[in-house]
Amino acid sequence: MNEYLDIIIRSVSVYFFMIIALRIFGKKELSQLNTADIILILLISNSVQNAMVGSNTSLFGGIIAAFALFLINLFFKKIMLNSTIIKNFIQDKPEILIHNGNIEFKTLSRIGITSDELDEAMREHGVEHYKDVKLAMFEIDGNISIISGEKSLKQTHHKRKIHKTLGNLNN
């Protein structure tokens, strides 16, 4: 078999393995990465590199592997746009975490969200108490969105403070 065709087949195989692995281990892994998650990503990329290119360490072999990954990703996204079966297999549906101030404990437990993580998301959206939440959703990208129960719903913005030493750079 042609060695570059072999690289393409290996790269596509690793791509599908990673899609399935992320589906099995959950979308929560994609939300906010901590140190252990970053280390895991680095180690996975190192461990699958040889599986993709084999003994070929040439520049062209690496480019072929990267090109195959970009192509299969583009192809896979187009398939997901047109096929609800594949889209539903790969992407979970959004999950309700809080509805009208009532916490969905079974859902939190099933997807592995702690009360501390839910509290943090509420604080980021300017909400103090669970009873003030009209709707909290665990989105398909792994983030938590919250709509407060106030009569006039407003979008909340979190503006990062600029450290005093960085503020002088604009002068």
Side-chain angles (χ1 to χ4, degrees), residues 96 98-103 130-136 147 149:
I96 296 174
I98 302 174
H99 185 257
N100 291 330
N102 297 316
I103 302 170
Y130 295 111
K131 64 181 169 93
D132 297 330
V133 176
K134 182 177 181 180
L135 185 66
I147 299 172

Side-chain angles (χ1 to χ4, degrees), residues 82-105:
N82 296 320
S83 171
T84 54
I85 294 170
I86 292 176
K87 184 178 180 179
N88 289 340
F89 175 73
I90 299 300
Q91 290 184 340
D92 281 337
K93 300 214 180 313
E95 302 271 357
I96 296 174
L97 304 178
I98 302 174
H99 185 257
N100 291 330
N102 297 316
I103 302 170
E104 300 291 333
F105 291 106

Side-chain angles (χ1 to χ4, degrees), residues 17 19-30 111:
F17 167 77
I19 292 281
I20 292 167
L22 283 172
R23 177 68 172 101
I24 290 170
F25 290 106
K27 62 186 170 186
K28 183 174 181 277
E29 301 301 320
L30 298 176
I111 52 184

Side-chain angles (χ1 to χ4, degrees), residues 59-89:
L59 175 62
F60 192 66
I63 290 171
I64 291 289
F67 183 72
L69 291 173
F70 279 115
L71 250 169
I72 192 67
N73 191 53
L74 177 70
F75 178 70
F76 202 65
K77 284 184 178 184
K78 288 193 183 282
I79 288 175
M80 283 177 45
L81 286 174
N82 296 320
S83 171
T84 54
I85 294 170
I86 292 176
K87 184 178 180 179
N88 289 340
F89 175 73

Side-chain angles (χ1 to χ4, degrees), residues 155-168:
Q155 185 176 1
T156 57
H157 296 282
H158 175 71
K159 194 170 186 177
R160 295 174 70 183
K161 293 182 181 177
I162 298 176
H163 192 272
K164 61 184 175 184
T165 57
L166 295 177
N168 294 335

